[in-house]
Amino acid sequence: MTIKDFLFAVINFVILFGALFLITRKMIVRMFKERKEKIAQDLEQSHQADLESQRLSTDVAQARDQARQQEDALLAETRAQVERSSREAEKLRTEEADALRRNAIQTEKQLRSQMHGQVSAQVIRQVASQAGETLKTSTFAPERQALVERYIEQVKEVVAAMPSDILNMNELKKLNISIASPEPLTDEEMKKVTQILCETFLSVRNEVDDGLVGGVRMQVGDTVYDGTLAHQLDRLSQEVEFNSRMDDQEELSVLESIREKLSGTDNSIDVYQTGKVISVSDGICHVSGLADVMAGEMLEFEGSLRGMVMDLDKNNVGVVLLGDFSTIQEGDTVRRTGHIIEVPVGEAMCGRVVDALGRPVDGKGPIQNDGFRAVESPAPSVLHRQGVTVPLQTGIKAIDALVPIGRGQRELIIGDRQTGKTAIALDTIVNQKGKGVHCIYVAIGQKESTVANVVRKLTELGAMDYTTVVCASASEPAPMLYIAPYAGAAIGEYFMYKGKDVLIVYDDLSKQAAAYREISLLLQRPPGREAYPGDVFYLHSRLLERAARLDEASGGGSMTALPIIETQAGDISAYIPTNVISITDGQIFLETGLFHSGTRPAINVGLSVSRVGGAAQVPAMKQVAGRLRTDLAQYRELASFAQFGSDLDASTQATLLRGQHMTELLKQDQFAARAVEDQVIAIFAANEGYADDVDLADMPRFEREAVEYVKQAMPELVDTICAGKKIPADMLDKLRETLKSFKETF
């Protein structure tokens, strides 16, 4: 390579390098500048990261300190909570122990009382038996002779011809008279007795029965004139066994009790009529004799069993047995009591659970009643009644607004099983707390567990203090189910005729009608429609007619009846439902479909009615709920047609929307009663359309908050409603403005 070529190559390289330098200089400068800026930015970020790390370290330290402080505070609070819980648990244990101790003391007293009565009865029976054996000895022969002579002298005053004896004399021209005594009467004694009876009676004979101990017992037809020692000792034993002792005598010894009973025994002649059991089956028996017995009279059987006369035939009477009849046999003696079947009544019945005869079944000891009242009593006269004008608030919006109930009214609750009939009745009872209304709940043919749950719930809510529960459970004989409603009505009438207000619930009368049908068929009465006897209408009419509101001259009391009827598959045209509907002043019909769809109470507005109407509503409720029934009925009708088409005009859509919100507003949980002023405010707000744009799920909150807002803003409105006055027009305008301002904040 020559020098020329070398120089040429060098020159070319220099030229090429210069050209490249000129071309890439700006790019290189920019690249180095960007790199420098990036390095500076990275350095700045690194510095910021260091600062952030320091700040985070500080925050972590602070958080650690705060966590330690919170931990210490939490531990301290936990210790305090544990101490409070321990104190509360100790207090609760102490209260439970005190309650158990009180229950144990009460149970011990009850057991002592029961044992005292049982021991007294046993000792009395043993003493009576020993006394009878002792009095049979020859030592007491003069006393026995004196007893016979005294009987002959006294029988002149008491012997008389009964109507049945006169009938037998007219038909048979003869009447058998037997005179029983432990020893044969002398000729002189028989002559004296015959002289007393010869004017009327024939065929007198003397029967010797050494079991009579002393004295004489004479039977004329069915009537017994008993002056024997054996009878007096037997009645003494029964009195100790069946009569409850007074509270101030509970500490008496058995010996003092016997001495007390013996000192009260008199030697007068006991006059009564007897009969003989000729057949018994399924709680029904037929008794011969007892020709003068009354319909509905209580009879005494051997032991503690009682019966009620239902049928009067020429040769025998039909009796329903009120209790366990397994010990009754053919040939047993039956004794008349002389009075219609009755139950104990009084203030002490409040808070107690009793059976159909008024006997306590709650284990709280005997009831100190104020007297007795016949279960079958006549209804108040038309002249002593007054109209139903005073509302009886149930606390249920759908009822108080649509089918109001007044004091003295008879409002039927009807529907299929498991539709909430009992729930409405219990809600009504609970809502009477503090309102001076005595409540009676008659459970007919229900399970004992169901009745126990009802009593427990009423006790928890404080409603048993003014409530009496009459229980005729499903395990009891049909006669007990039959008379239970009448017994409840008799207990309620005691308060009504004293000028007080009473609410009575019959749950339910369908089972009473079935029990009456069973009794009638066993008594061989001719069956009618659905095998019910012909007087089944009278069965319920004479019961429900006893509910009334008395005028001021008769005390001004009232008894409101809520009978319950169970239907089959919603058939309200069956025999018993139609009968009771025709007797009552309206009905609340509960529908199964509504219940299962979540509408509770499941009241069918179209079939439910109150024949008292607005007379049983407070004026404010009548004012705001006047068109509610019509609107709901129109909504139900449109809702059924709207299912078949989607092209609806604006008016129909507005009606459906209003109906949906109103239906949602009327829903209510059990035992969640609403005061009447709260109901008026809520219904007015929904009627005026303030809830139309509220979500259905928010309706309970809307109701609750709207009522509270209005009550705080307008206390005078609450006073007006509670005073039973209509709401003035200016107050209605103010209420609209108040609801409008509430709606802006909702």
Side-chain angles (χ1 to χ4, degrees), residues 48-304:
Q48 293 294 334
D50 291 338
L51 295 178
E52 184 68 21
S53 176
Q54 294 176 2
R55 187 165 59 253
L56 287 175
S57 299
T58 305
D59 293 342
V60 168
Q62 293 177 354
R64 189 181 297 111
D65 294 338
Q66 292 178 357
R68 189 178 297 107
Q69 294 175 0
Q70 291 177 356
E71 181 181 0
D72 295 339
L74 183 60
L75 288 174
E77 183 179 356
T78 303
R79 293 192 190 95
Q81 181 66 29
V82 169
E83 293 178 358
R84 287 195 300 269
S85 300
S86 300
R87 289 194 297 269
E88 292 177 357
E90 183 65 25
K91 181 180 178 181
L92 183 60
R93 285 195 296 270
T94 303
E95 292 177 352
E96 291 178 351
D98 292 340
L100 290 174
R101 192 178 300 108
R102 288 193 298 269
N103 291 336
I105 294 174
Q106 183 178 4
T107 303
E108 182 183 2
K109 288 183 178 179
Q110 294 174 4
L111 291 176
R112 284 180 178 272
S113 177
Q114 294 175 1
M115 292 176 62
H116 186 275
Q118 293 175 359
V119 171
S120 298
Q122 293 176 0
V123 173
I124 284 290
R125 285 193 292 269
Q126 293 177 1
V127 169
S129 177
Q130 293 295 330
E133 295 298 328
T134 303
L135 292 173
K136 290 180 182 180
T137 62
S138 58
T139 306
F140 294 93
E143 285 77 5
R144 294 199 300 271
Q145 182 62 31
L147 190 62
V148 172
E149 295 175 356
R150 184 166 60 250
Y151 178 87
I152 295 174
E153 292 296 327
Q154 292 178 349
V155 78
K156 298 178 183 179
E157 306 296 331
V158 296
V159 69
M162 298 296 176
S164 58
D165 301 333
I166 297 174
L167 289 175
N168 288 332
M169 288 290 294
N170 292 334
E171 291 184 4
L172 305 176
K173 306 301 181 183
K174 183 178 181 181
L175 184 65
N176 293 326
I177 301 174
S178 64
I179 301 175
S181 59
E183 299 171 351
L185 297 180
T186 63
D187 294 339
E188 183 65 24
E189 292 169 344
M190 281 298 297
K191 183 178 179 180
K192 291 181 180 180
V193 175
T194 304
Q195 287 177 351
I196 296 173
L197 302 174
C198 65
E199 296 180 358
T200 309
F201 306 116
L202 303 174
S203 183
V204 181
R205 66 182 184 276
N206 181 208
E207 297 177 353
V208 178
D209 185 357
D210 59 357
L212 301 180
V213 182
V216 179
R217 182 176 65 198
M218 181 173 65
Q219 182 169 353
V220 181
D222 297 331
T223 306
V224 178
Y225 302 87
D226 203 328
T228 62
L229 287 173
H231 175 69
Q232 294 179 15
L233 293 173
D234 180 62
R235 299 303 292 178
L236 175 63
S237 301
Q238 292 185 17
E239 184 180 357
V240 174
E241 184 175 357
F242 295 119
N243 291 349
S244 301
R245 301 183 58 81
M246 301 298 290
D247 291 339
D248 57 354
Q249 295 176 331
E250 289 181 353
E251 302 300 327
L252 293 177
S253 66
V254 175
L255 182 60
E256 292 173 342
S257 174
I258 296 172
R259 186 181 297 112
E260 175 190 350
K261 295 298 180 183
L262 289 175
S263 63
T265 304
D266 57 38
N267 296 321
S268 61
I269 298 176
D270 191 7
V271 182
Y272 56 91
Q273 284 188 332
T274 61
K276 296 291 183 181
V277 175
I278 58 177
S279 67
V280 57
S281 64
D282 298 324
I284 302 294
C285 78
H286 290 84
V287 180
S288 63
L290 301 178
D292 299 315
V293 75
M294 299 178 291
E297 182 177 344
M298 179 183 286
L299 303 180
E300 291 182 354
F301 290 80
E302 295 181 0
S304 60

Side-chain angles (χ1 to χ4, degrees), residues 542-673:
R542 72 177 188 268
L543 170 67
L544 296 176
E545 278 297 305
R546 294 163 72 173
R549 184 178 175 217
L550 303 178
D551 56 15
E552 296 301 328
S554 302
S558 70
M559 185 162 69
T560 307
L562 294 181
I564 295 177
I565 290 291
E566 181 179 309
T567 57
Q568 303 294 328
D571 183 15
I572 62 174
S573 62
Y575 192 28
I576 299 302
T578 52
N579 280 351
V580 181
I581 287 175
S582 65
I583 301 169
T584 53
D585 304 318
Q587 68 273 354
I588 300 171
F589 181 70
L590 304 180
E591 197 172 83
T592 305
L594 291 175
F595 183 84
H596 292 307
S597 66
T599 302
R600 300 176 186 178
I603 298 177
N604 185 312
V605 179
L607 296 178
S608 301
V609 65
S610 174
R611 297 188 180 95
V612 175
Q617 283 180 312
V618 295
M621 177 64 78
K622 183 178 179 181
Q623 188 177 2
V624 302
R627 69 173 192 269
L628 181 58
R629 172 184 291 275
T630 305
D631 292 345
L632 285 176
Q634 185 179 7
Y635 158 69
R636 295 280 172 84
E637 184 178 357
L638 289 176
S640 61
F641 284 106
Q643 298 175 359
F644 304 101
S646 58
D647 189 12
L648 303 175
D649 57 17
S651 176
T652 303
Q653 292 179 357
T655 302
L656 292 174
L657 183 64
R658 179 72 57 83
Q660 290 174 354
H661 286 82
M662 187 59 70
T663 301
E664 195 69 26
L665 178 72
L666 293 179
K667 292 181 180 180
Q668 192 169 337
D669 295 332
Q670 189 178 7
F671 303 121

Side-chain angles (χ1 to χ4, degrees), residues 4-5 34 37 112 120 229 309 459 560 608 681 686 744:
K4 182 178 179 180
D5 294 334
E34 291 176 355
E37 291 177 353
R112 284 180 178 272
S120 298
L229 287 173
V309 177
T459 303
T560 307
S608 301
I681 295 172
E744 295 174 354

Side-chain angles (χ1 to χ4, degrees), residues 478-551:
M480 299 293 279
L481 276 63
Y482 161 66
I483 68 169
Y486 300 106
I491 296 173
E493 284 175 333
Y494 168 82
F495 297 104
M496 180 180 71
Y497 285 108
K498 292 186 68 175
K500 299 180 179 180
D501 295 313
V502 180
L503 169 66
I504 184 167
V505 177
Y506 303 110
D507 191 8
D508 64 283
L509 293 185
S510 301
K511 295 182 177 64
Q512 188 212 14
Y516 185 61
R517 175 173 59 186
E518 177 183 342
I519 294 171
S520 299
L521 292 176
L522 290 171
L523 290 172
Q524 299 180 357
R525 293 180 177 177
R529 178 181 170 186
E530 298 181 16
Y532 287 104
D535 62 341
V536 70
F537 180 85
Y538 182 57
L539 169 76
H540 291 147
S541 64
R542 72 177 188 268
L543 170 67
L544 296 176
E545 278 297 305
R546 294 163 72 173
R549 184 178 175 217
L550 303 178
D551 56 15

